Amino acid sequence: MSTAAPATSDSKPASPGGPVESSIRAKLTELLRPSQLEITNDSWQHRHHAPMRAEGGGNGETHFSINVVSEEFQGKNTMQRHRMIYSALSDELAAGLHALSLKTKTPAEIQPSKQS
């Protein structure tokens, strides 16, 4: 049983994801055992930036948004959670992954609050 939800995209058609996205998904699934993992490739929105133009638009896998829910974040602040992810993806960052937009929550943090 997979704990990861399929990658989502905005108005672009769904795609199977490239090697960087697949690596991100595999590493975060192993590290965090998430109850929810959404990865969106936002690279197309940044292809006009000077560094991306210099690389011919990059490899198409340079910018990602990641929404992850995991018990592994329990007791950790936002900075610690982000450091966990950046550490896990250090090889990808060294190889051209340029930016991550991270939303990191525990299952308790996404539950609606019960107010009487």
Side-chain angles (χ1 to χ4, degrees):
M1 179 169 102
S2 173
T3 58
T8 61
S9 64
D10 39 32
S11 61
K12 298 185 78 167
S15 65
V20 175
E21 183 175 335
S22 295
S23 181
I24 292 170
R25 183 174 305 285
K27 287 183 176 184
L28 295 185
T29 297
E30 182 178 345
L31 174 70
L32 301 172
R33 298 180 311 276
S35 57
Q36 180 180 341
L37 176 60
E38 298 172 6
I39 300 172
T40 304
N41 185 341
D42 299 325
S43 302
W44 66 275
Q45 297 174 338
H46 302 275
R47 66 186 179 277
H48 65 280
H49 294 177
M52 297 301 103
R53 283 197 319 263
E55 295 179 17
N59 67 0
E61 291 192 289
T62 56
H63 295 70
F64 288 89
S65 294
I66 299 172
N67 182 356
V68 60
V69 178
S70 173
E71 289 285 354
E72 297 296 318
F73 295 140
Q74 189 67 40
K76 294 179 175 64
N77 64 34
T78 301
M79 177 114 17
Q80 291 168 322
R81 295 171 185 191
H82 289 201
R83 284 180 180 155
M84 289 174 68
I85 292 172
Y86 277 97
S87 177
L89 302 178
S90 61
D91 291 341
E92 289 76 8
L93 288 159
L97 176 58
H98 180 69
L100 297 173
S101 172
L102 303 174
K103 292 184 182 174
T104 56
K105 301 286 184 186
T106 65
E109 291 170 337
I110 62 167
Q111 296 299 319
S113 62
K114 296 178 181 176
Q115 297 178 354
S116 302

